[in-house]
Every structure is written in structure tokens, then in C-alpha cells.
Amino acid sequence: MPGSRTGRPPAQRTVRLPPASRGPRDNPLRVLHRRARKAWDRPLTAYYLILGGSLLITVLGLVMVYSASQITALQMALPGSFFFRKQFLAASIGAGLLLLASRMPVKLHRALAYPILAGAVFLMALVQVPGIGVAVNGNQNWLSLGGSFQIQPSEFGKLALVLWGADLIARKHDKKLLAQWKHMLVPLVPVAFLLLGLIMLGGDMGTAIILTAILFGLLWLAGAPTRLFVGVLSIAATIGVILIKTSPNRMARLSCIGATEPQSGPVDCWQAVHGIYALASGGIFGSGLGASVEKWGQLPEAHTDFIFAVTGEELGLAGTLSVLALFAALGYAGIRVAGRTEDPFVRYAAGGVTTWIVAQAVINIGAVLGLLPIAGVPLPLFSYGGSALLPTMFAVGLLIAFARDEPAARAALAMRQPRFGRKRAGGSAPDRGPRRWNTMRRRASAARTSGER
């Protein structure tokens, strides 16, 4: 090959190849959906949803209790922050119970089932003793603790039924006795009916409905046959219809479904209609925190049963949808924990707690929206009331403990344990050599065997 004029070999020309044909670009929505599913399937998703969702609901509930209860407190010649301070105290105690329940092993939860059931039955029976029980709004389901503090034992009956029922069904599951309908129903249904009877003696049908929902949730998770399930449901529905028909107050609440006027004939639907007024006046983003009009004496029980209406008026549709999203996330996480575990007790207890919280939220919100009769049950973790908040936060601690107990979740949490400041065996610092990369590699390999991605 002839050289160049400068005596240097000629530079070789690079041959440009035709650009490779690229495939179609991924749809951004598909990429987002894929990433969301990947994040959704991580081992710690349920743990963070339960912990974060419950804490957000509780904190937002404290804010709304302070906003909704100021006028009521002033009308009762009390400080404006009276109800908030009591709710904050209950939330602080509940946070301790949540932390305690989340750190307790499953065996200890099962051991506490019978003592909690016995204590709940004793307190619920004590309510009916004249001179000891206290009637509130026509329902005698309270015990006075002195001063302005009262306790409602039926709220602890929900927790008792969940723990005791889950332990009972898990024992029969291990002995393979659930295939027989007698073992499926006895003694679960008689004990549940005992709790329901004690509650109905005080006239609190709303709590009785929640307890019935927990019972049916446990039976469903235990694999009750359809005929057996329908039979028990028919008996409960028949008893419910009789109790409603024989009570003018309950019939009046039933007739207020979908009411648009405060006085619908002879029936007083003031509370139901003003709850709709509060939601309707909120708009998209609400009138502003603390700017509710309905709480100025127009809406009864603004800080308890109808706090969702005040939330809609002050925070608007955005605020109410946020509350619904938090409850939906909490319910999904509970179902996920119940579905992924291999421990029968964890499955039944997680399913029972999820049924309890979701059913109570649906009944409360449905009543505020005018879709269901007013049952007089608070919004879980949100409404004012320490008697309802304490057992509910303990139940949320149960879900957190169960979510942490999954093998993949344990491996993921072990990887996130802080290593700084810990003493390592094996000589002084100069003799240890490289430590971080080997440690991370060992932990990563151990986590993959447990399902971590």
C-alpha cells in the first residue's frame, strides 16, 4: 500500500454500520405499573402500610378531634382543648400498647387470649350491675373510672373475640377437626352469642354488628361450608330484624337512610341530614381546617360518630378520599398478611382484625354518607374515644407483629439493622481487614434464600 506524503501510514476509515433497529419504546404507564407492582411485592410492603397507615390515621384523627370538639367543649363550659387532651392521652397509651403488641411473640399473644376473654366478659357483666354501669345516650355499656374518665368494655370484647377465636380455630385446625361442623361452631358461636347478649342488654346494636362481622370473618377464614355459613347468617339476620322491629329508635334510624330533610314526617333525621350538609359544603378542598359551620351545634356527635362529616367539610373531597385510601391500604395489608402466612393462628387473627377495622369503618362512613343506618360506632383510630382507640391500636400492633414475622420480612429487616458502634469479635481494628463488603455480601445471599428481591 503506498504511504502518505508525510511518510505515515494512512489512517483507516471507520466503517459506519446501519443503526440497529430499536424495539418500540415502553409505554410510560406500563413502566410505572411495573415499578409499582415491584414495590408492592416487596417483603416489607405490608409492614410499612400497616405502620404508616395506622399512624397517619391516628395523627389526622387527633387533628380533626381538636377541630371538631372545640365548640362542644365550650358549650359544656370546658376548655376548648378538653377532648383533644383526653384523646392525646389515650393515643399515647395506645402507642405504647401498639409497640408492646408488635414486639410480643405469637406464643404470648395466644397465651393472652383466654385472660383477655375472661376479663372482657367480667367487665361486660359488671356493666349491667345497678349502680356500677353508666348509661350514655340511652345505652348502658360504660363503667366510670372516676372523674370524666369512662371505659366501654364491649370495645375490648372485639379484641377478645379475635384472639380467643383465632386460637381456638388454630388448635382445631392442627388437630384436623374443622371438617366436622360441630367443631366448627362449638364453642365459637356460643361464646360469641354470650358476648352479643351482654352487649345487647345495654342496647348497643352498633357494637353487636361489628362483633357479628368478626364472627363471620373467622368462620369464613376457617373454611366453613356455604350451607353452614348461610345458616348462621340467616339466624343472625333474623335476630337482627326482630331487634330492629321491636325498637322505635332503631326503626327511625333505618327510615333515615337517604333522607334529605331534617324532619321526614314523624321521624327526626336531623343528624343524618346535617352530616350530608357538612359533606356537601366542603367542595373539593374544603373550607379550611377549623372553619366548619356544622360543628357549631348543628351536627350532633361531631367529634365522635360524625367526625368524617366534619373532615369532609373542612378538608373537602381530597381529605375524605385520603382517609378512605388510608383505610383501604390498611385493609389490603391485613389481607396480605393473612394470605401469605403459614401459621393458622396468624391467618385467623390477622383476618379477624382486618374484618373488625374495615367493617367498622364501612359502617361508620356509610352512615355519614346516608347509605346505612346510624349505628353509633366510631371511626377506628380516628374518632374521639379512648375505649375504642386502645384495643384498636393493640390490634394494629398484632398486625405489625405478624407482618414482621414473615421470613422474607425478617431477612429484609435484618439487613437494615444498624451496624455502627457494635463490637465485632476477632481482634483489633487493624487485624480485621475488609469487613463491610463481605458482610453485605453474606447478608444479601442470606436474604435471597428467604425471598428478598
Side-chain angles (χ1 to χ4, degrees):
M1 177 179 297
S4 62
R5 293 180 181 180
T6 58
R8 298 178 181 176
Q12 297 182 359
R13 297 179 179 178
T14 58
V15 181
R16 295 183 178 180
L17 299 177
S21 59
R22 297 181 179 179
R25 296 184 62 182
D26 289 339
N27 190 345
L29 294 179
R30 291 183 179 179
V31 174
L32 182 62
H33 179 263
R34 193 182 307 118
R35 291 179 179 178
R37 289 199 60 179
K38 184 178 180 181
W40 212 247
D41 291 335
R42 289 177 179 175
L44 292 176
T45 298
Y47 170 74
Y48 287 127
L49 282 179
I50 296 170
L51 180 61
S54 60
L55 291 181
L56 285 175
I57 293 173
T58 305
V59 172
L60 182 58
L62 286 172
V63 174
M64 294 311 304
V65 164
Y66 181 65
S67 174
S69 65
Q70 289 183 6
I71 307 304
T72 303
L74 294 176
Q75 289 175 346
M76 300 172 62
L78 297 171
S81 60
F82 176 77
F83 294 104
F84 169 76
R85 285 181 293 174
K86 290 183 63 177
Q87 186 73 356
F88 183 79
L89 176 61
S92 301
I93 299 174
L97 292 176
L98 185 148
L99 181 61
L100 177 65
S102 65
R103 295 293 180 176
M104 289 168 54
V106 175
K107 292 182 179 180
L108 186 55
H109 286 302
R110 300 186 68 168
L112 290 176
Y114 284 86
I116 292 178
L117 177 65
V121 171
F122 173 74
L123 292 177
M124 291 168 66
L126 197 63
V127 168
Q128 307 305 323
V129 177
I132 299 180
V134 178
V136 177
N137 294 331
N139 296 335
Q140 187 167 344
N141 286 299
W142 298 81
L143 290 174
S144 178
L145 300 181
S148 61
F149 291 94
Q150 295 176 342
I151 187 173
Q152 188 176 4
S154 57
E155 293 291 341
F156 295 88
K158 303 172 186 177
L159 178 63
L161 181 60
V162 168
L163 284 176
W164 177 81
D167 179 71
L168 175 68
I169 299 175
R171 293 178 187 274
K172 293 191 175 186
H173 177 273
D174 295 337
K175 297 179 181 179
K176 299 181 180 180
L177 297 175
L178 293 179
Q180 305 176 26
W181 69 270
K182 293 182 180 180
H183 288 283
M184 178 76 70
L185 297 180
V186 180
L188 177 63
V189 175
V191 172
F193 279 6
L194 171 64
L195 295 175
L196 289 172
L198 292 173
I199 292 173
M200 289 308 301
L201 284 177
D204 188 2
M205 191 170 182
T207 304
I209 293 175
I210 305 301
L211 215 67
T212 305
I214 295 174
L215 172 62
F216 286 125
L218 292 174
L219 289 176
W220 181 270
L221 291 169
T226 305
R227 291 179 297 177
L228 183 64
F229 194 82
V230 172
V232 178
L233 182 61
S234 302
I235 295 174
T238 303
I239 296 175
V241 170
I242 294 174
L243 293 174
I244 293 175
K245 287 286 187 181
T246 55
S247 173
N249 182 31
R250 297 185 186 119
M251 285 297 298
R253 292 187 179 189
L254 190 65
S255 61
C256 287
I257 297 178
T260 56
E261 295 294 335
Q263 193 71 27
S264 179
V267 180
D268 185 9
C269 299
W270 181 275
Q271 186 178 22
V273 173
H274 276 272
I276 298 297
Y277 289 169
L279 291 171
S281 61
I284 301 298
F285 298 105
S287 59
L289 192 63
S292 171
V293 176
E294 290 293 332
K295 69 183 180 182
W296 287 76
Q298 301 297 323
L299 181 63
E301 308 295 338
H303 60 296
T304 55
D305 300 344
F306 271 68
I307 194 172
F308 188 76
V310 180
T311 304
E313 185 178 7
E314 295 187 350
L315 302 183
L317 181 64
T320 55
L321 290 181
S322 300
V323 175
L324 292 176
L326 289 174
F327 276 109
L330 190 59
Y332 165 79
I335 294 174
R336 172 169 167 165
V337 171
R340 292 195 174 190
T341 184
E342 296 181 358
D343 189 339
F345 172 79
V346 173
R347 182 185 307 115
Y348 302 137
V353 171
T354 305
T355 303
W356 164 13
I357 295 177
V358 172
Q360 187 165 328
V362 169
I363 291 174
N364 178 276
I365 295 174
V368 174
L369 295 176
L371 303 176
L372 295 175
I374 299 175
V377 295
L379 190 59
L381 301 172
F382 202 85
S383 296
Y384 169 80
S387 296
L389 184 62
L390 295 181
T392 306
M393 294 193 75
F394 187 89
V396 171
L398 284 176
L399 291 179
I400 294 175
F402 298 155
R404 290 168 55 95
D405 198 52
E406 293 182 8
R410 286 201 305 266
L413 288 173
M415 290 184 63
R416 302 186 181 190
Q417 293 292 332
R419 294 187 306 275
F420 297 101
R422 292 186 177 180
K423 294 183 179 180
R424 295 173 55 89
S428 59
D431 299 333
R432 292 174 195 163
R435 59 180 180 177
R436 178 170 295 278
W437 299 109
N438 293 336
T439 304
M440 290 298 295
R441 191 178 299 113
R442 285 197 300 270
R443 290 190 175 185
S445 61
R448 294 193 194 100
T449 59
S450 301
E452 172 69 8
R453 297 184 178 182

